[in-house]
Amino acid sequence: MNNFSILFQKEWRENVRNFKILWIPLVFILFGISEPLMYHYLPQILNAVGNMPSDMVFPLPDYTPEQIIMSTIGQYQFIGMLIVAFGFAGIIARERRNGTATMLYVRPIAYTSYVFSKLAIMCILIIGSACIGLLANVYYTYILYGAVDAVAFIGFLGTYSIWLLFAISVVICASSAFPTGIASVISIFLLVVLQLVDGLLGAYWTISPWKLPMYAGQILTGSFDKTPYLWSLTVTIMMVVLLIVGAIYIAKRNVAKAKI
Amino acid sequence: MEWDSVPWLLILPVLIIQLLLVVVALIDLLRVKNTNGSKWMWAIIIILISIIGPVIYFIVGRRNE
């Protein structure tokens, strides 16, 4: 446990120095608040920037607050996942390459606490930023569209955090197994491409981690099926545990690959 | 569109956060030793491409070593 706190301090310092602690929350907040603004003022924006004929009428639908929040989740699912995959693909792999790993591996550290320090810093950075961003989003949606049910929103936030935890463990496992480049490609494939595949062909099955954001949205609107949701949650948490255990095991085996 | 009808109180946070991102990215650009590619190119990218520019710099341009 002592190991863990020292390794965690190292991670924290590193992320403060490379400004990740600052720019990741800022980006999430930015997308969180620009989405409701964009939807609400779309007619005015089109009037101001486009050479539209003055008698043109846009039949814009009336959005509910839930739809605006789900559209923000759509943004997070794409841009947020790109940031997670590209920004953190090197979290273990990079240390093997630039020599930090040799400094660490000669000491009697437990790989469990090594991987858990990575997991903790990523959880704080990504889940924290996404939660702050979504709270800003709810505030703006409240001003422009109306309130959402507070209890449903907490359920939604919790479910989305579980999905983010899954994304984080995918990135950590990929990073512990492969060099940075391959790890980022694999994470992009698992987080963005498979999500598109699940969206296209997903009508044939109901239980998958990639469906969790969709179930989160259903919790928000208050119309959801309990059984497939709970099963998806269970499967996702089991996969998270497997990925983390795998990451610890592979990190231990890949010690020999560290560049000296 | 008239100047007064713009909801400045709502848009101001967006502008402030964009400015903050640009400033943080530029400070970082001045502090790091080398980047992938020339520093001038990154300064132009950070300033001219809004939102995505600083993010691209942090992910691609910065050599994390």
Side-chain angles (χ1 to χ4, degrees):
Chain A
M1 212 53 212
N2 199 17
N3 259 338
F4 171 78
S5 67
I6 290 168
L7 286 168
F8 180 74
Q9 279 171 25
K10 164 193 162 290
E11 292 299 321
W12 180 264
R13 210 163 290 156
E14 184 183 337
N15 282 297
V16 168
R17 285 197 185 143
N18 64 19
F19 286 110
K20 268 189 182 139
I21 203 89
L22 206 59
W23 69 263
I24 291 178
L26 283 181
V27 171
F28 274 88
I29 294 173
L30 195 61
F31 281 106
I33 63 182
S34 62
E35 198 74 4
L37 277 176
M38 207 62 149
Y39 274 102
H40 195 258
Y41 291 107
L42 197 58
Q44 284 93 321
I45 294 170
L46 285 178
N47 269 335
V49 297
N51 288 322
M52 299 287 173
S54 56
D55 53 346
M56 207 163 158
V57 178
F58 294 101
L60 289 174
D62 285 332
Y63 295 105
T64 61
E66 287 85 7
Q67 278 172 323
I68 301 295
I69 294 173
M70 275 325 285
S71 138
T72 314
I73 287 295
Q75 291 274 354
Y76 282 9
Q77 282 298 90
F78 185 66
I79 294 165
M81 288 306 119
L82 287 185
I83 289 175
V84 172
F86 280 120
F88 291 93
I91 192 159
I92 294 175
R94 194 181 58 234
E95 296 198 336
R96 278 203 295 267
R97 240 197 57 179
N98 68 12
T100 318
T102 28
M103 309 277 278
L104 286 171
Y105 293 164
V106 291
R107 292 176 169 77
I109 55 161
Y111 288 89
T112 323
S113 43
Y114 176 62
V115 171
F116 269 101
S117 71
K118 308 275 181 198
L119 183 70
I121 194 75
M122 276 182 81
C123 281
I124 290 174
L125 275 180
I126 293 161
I127 298 183
S129 311
C131 285
I132 296 172
L134 282 171
L135 283 175
N137 177 246
V138 162
Y139 178 65
Y140 265 71
T141 312
Y142 170 69
I143 292 177
L144 295 172
Y145 287 91
V148 291
D149 187 25
V151 178
F153 180 72
I154 291 169
F156 157 81
L157 213 57
T159 311
Y160 193 64
S161 302
I162 300 288
W163 155 259
L164 287 175
L165 186 64
F166 173 70
I168 290 167
S169 45
V170 164
V171 173
I172 287 183
C173 194
S175 182
S176 110
F178 302 103
T180 312
I182 301 174
S184 57
V185 171
I186 288 176
S187 327
I188 287 290
F189 177 76
L190 283 174
L191 296 178
V192 179
V193 179
L194 272 191
Q195 184 187 309
L196 291 178
V197 172
D198 197 272
L200 285 174
L201 307 171
Y204 298 108
W205 60 86
T206 50
I207 299 164
S208 90
W210 292 274
K211 281 206 164 50
L212 267 188
M214 193 192 80
Y215 288 131
Q218 288 181 356
I219 291 177
L220 200 61
T221 47
S223 60
F224 82 111
D225 249 351
K226 266 221 170 75
T227 330
Y229 165 69
L230 288 176
W231 273 108
S232 298
L233 209 59
T234 319
V235 168
T236 309
I237 290 171
M238 268 157 53
M239 281 172 90
V240 167
V241 172
L242 274 180
L243 283 167
I244 296 297
V245 171
I248 294 168
Y249 178 71
I250 297 168
K252 207 179 285 180
R253 274 195 42 180
N254 274 355
V255 172
K257 280 192 192 159
K259 205 176 122 190
I260 300 170
Chain B
M1 193 171 176
E2 293 102 56
W3 196 249
D4 293 337
S5 65
V6 180
W8 288 113
L9 274 182
L10 287 176
I11 291 179
L12 207 59
V14 178
L15 300 179
I16 290 173
I17 290 174
Q18 283 199 22
L19 192 71
L20 259 174
L21 271 179
V22 170
V23 169
V24 168
L26 284 179
I27 290 173
D28 189 65
L29 186 65
L30 285 178
R31 275 185 23 176
V32 293
K33 250 186 209 142
N34 351 306
T35 49
N36 294 326
S38 74
K39 283 200 172 190
W40 279 111
M41 180 192 78
W42 282 113
I44 292 168
I45 289 177
I46 290 168
I47 293 169
L48 290 189
I49 309 175
S50 68
I51 309 178
I52 308 291
V55 175
I56 294 176
Y57 164 69
F58 277 119
I59 290 178
V60 182
R62 207 172 185 288
R63 239 181 243 167
N64 290 304
E65 267 159 34

